[in-house]
Amino acid sequence: MYNVIQLFAKYGAHILFIILEVVCFALIINYNKTQKDIFLNSSNVFAAKLSEQQNKILQFTNLKAQNDSLMRENATLIENIITSEYLTDKIPAADSLLNQYTLIPTIISSTTIHKRNNYLTLNKGYREGIRSDMGVIASHKGIVGIVRNISENYSQVISLLHSQTKISCAIKNRMGHGSLVWKNMDPLRMTLESIPKHETIAIGDTVITSGYSTMFPKGILVGKIETYNVIPGSNSYNITVKLFNDLTNIKYAYVIQNRFAAEQATLEKEVANE
Amino acid sequence: MNSAIPTNVFRFVFIFLVQVMVFKQVTFSLGGLAYIHFIIYPLAILLMPIKTPRGVLLLSAFVMGLALDMFYDSVGIHAATLVFTAYIRNIVIALLEPYDGYNMSDVPTIKNLGIGWVVSYLSITLLIHIFVYFSIEAFSYVFFFEIFLNTIFSFIVSFIVILVAQFIIQTKY
């Protein structure tokens, strides 16, 4: 007993400290909701924070898969836009579940921009249904080129930035159509030729695809009119078009599959042979 | 020594009232990043005479803490923190002991022990106090960053207030 009293006399303050702290913590845990919750499942709070961080890191590892699925989604959305451009003036197809145009999402595996004749290579080819003379677009805004050669798994595309490029284009809400060519080695600007000079046009007008060819459906946005003039003695405008898409840094492209391309081509060939 | 008791009791009550009537109202948040609390009540314990028995320190800290908790609706948090501060007070005093030791009747004031001693004594104890306070409030070191920010900002504002008070109010005991 004496020992206990002596012990208490010597360490009384420390024991008192411990007792008081225990009392305080008992009070804290019993009467404060937050602390009680944390005390009861503090491991859960820690685990939740940890798994949140883990998720953040792991998200990077499947970015590629996510990109692929986003591209497929985009393809569907652009198909819908193209279809809706037609809804007003088109007899429904025999099988309305199948659109006339389907998009094949691809990744651009190589590209040049600084030569006079530029080409791109896509990472999909014959096996995925790509054929030559199909159009290639970057999104609803902006065309990329036309498929030229295909192999089993790759396809070569004539870029817009090519001296032979000639794409049938029109100006939105105006009459007339002309062809888009690349003359001036500027990867952001192209020239629209043979719009008759009696048509009214204005700077800032939107240039769209005309839909006369089998490659591009009508209404894909190409660019804006930057400047225009009439070359003396000529009968048509010389229009500089600022492209919507920047071909120098595109990574993804969609190949347009036109279900009726062969039909239209055959018909037009018959006419030509007469 | 006897006249020290009424002075300390009066200071104890005065600091308590100032804390709950004035500084409790000016708690504000800094752009949602950190909460600034003016925490001046540890002064009541820190300014007690140096040779005050530890038991008295601990018990008065406990009483003060519980009383504050009633006003702050945080049962036990202030009490636990203040009891801890009262416990480490003597350790800090021992660490800062001048070459010729303390006088029996010394109270930790600028006049008795010099400004350097008071600044280091109050800043060390107050920083520990505020850090412990926010740790117990958060109750989990998952929130370490928040605890850290709150501690830094609250320490700065509280320490300014406390130090100014040392110049304005100078007691004999």
Side-chain angles (χ1 to χ4, degrees), chain A residues 12-14 16-17 20-21 23-25 27-29 31-32 34-36 38-39 42 45-46 49, chain B residues 54-55 58-59 62 66 73-77 79-80 83-84 87 136-140 142-143 146:
Chain A
H14 306 279
L16 184 66
F17 168 68
L20 289 179
E21 286 291 350
V23 170
C24 289
F25 275 91
L27 287 172
I28 291 173
I29 291 162
Y31 291 98
N32 295 283
T34 328
Q35 276 84 352
K36 193 176 186 177
I38 294 176
F39 183 73
S42 65
V45 174
F46 189 67
K49 278 259 179 183
Chain B
R54 228 174 187 170
L58 291 175
L59 283 174
F62 186 64
L66 283 185
D73 287 326
S74 57
V75 183
I77 297 176
V83 166
F84 181 79
Y87 183 73
I136 294 179
E137 195 192 34
F139 217 66
S140 159
V142 174
F143 309 109
E146 290 88 333

Side-chain angles (χ1 to χ4, degrees), chain A residues 207-231:
Chain A
V207 176
I208 57 172
T209 52
S210 67
Y212 291 153
S213 68
T214 59
M215 295 149 191
F216 297 103
K218 184 186 172 189
I220 299 215
L221 306 178
V222 177
K224 261 186 185 174
I225 294 181
E226 203 171 50
T227 56
Y228 66 89
N229 60 336
V230 182
I231 297 167

Side-chain angles (χ1 to χ4, degrees), chain B residues 15-93:
Chain B
I15 289 176
F16 171 75
L17 288 177
V18 168
Q19 175 73 41
V20 296
M21 296 297 165
V22 181
F23 289 112
K24 185 185 173 230
Q25 318 299 330
V26 292
T27 298
F28 57 92
S29 89
L30 189 77
L33 197 67
Y35 292 96
I36 292 182
H37 296 246
F38 285 88
I39 296 177
I40 58 131
Y41 60 86
L43 265 189
I45 303 300
L46 297 179
L47 290 186
M48 283 184 172
I50 283 171
K51 302 294 178 188
T52 313
R54 228 174 187 170
V56 175
L57 285 176
L58 291 175
L59 283 174
S60 43
F62 186 64
V63 171
M64 170 74 115
L66 283 185
L68 281 168
D69 281 329
M70 284 174 196
F71 283 84
Y72 275 87
D73 287 326
S74 57
V75 183
I77 297 176
H78 288 88
T81 317
L82 202 54
V83 166
F84 181 79
T85 309
Y87 183 73
I88 60 145
R89 185 195 106 127
N90 284 6
I91 300 171
V92 176
I93 287 178

Side-chain angles (χ1 to χ4, degrees), chain A residues 7-79:
Chain A
L7 189 78
F8 206 80
K10 200 173 176 188
Y11 296 111
H14 306 279
I15 296 169
L16 184 66
F17 168 68
I18 292 167
I19 292 171
L20 289 179
E21 286 291 350
V22 169
V23 170
C24 289
F25 275 91
L27 287 172
I28 291 173
I29 291 162
N30 282 324
Y31 291 98
N32 295 283
K33 200 174 171 302
T34 328
Q35 276 84 352
K36 193 176 186 177
D37 288 347
I38 294 176
F39 183 73
L40 290 179
N41 45 34
S42 65
S43 59
N44 289 357
V45 174
F46 189 67
K49 278 259 179 183
L50 196 73
S51 58
E52 193 187 316
Q53 292 298 324
Q54 192 189 13
N55 268 346
K56 272 187 197 163
I57 294 165
L58 287 183
Q59 265 180 357
F60 278 108
T61 58
N62 64 354
L63 272 183
K64 198 171 151 11
Q66 283 182 10
N67 269 352
D68 284 354
S69 78
L70 281 177
M71 278 188 74
R72 258 175 272 128
E73 236 168 79
N74 276 346
T76 324
L77 289 174
I78 298 170
E79 273 167 26

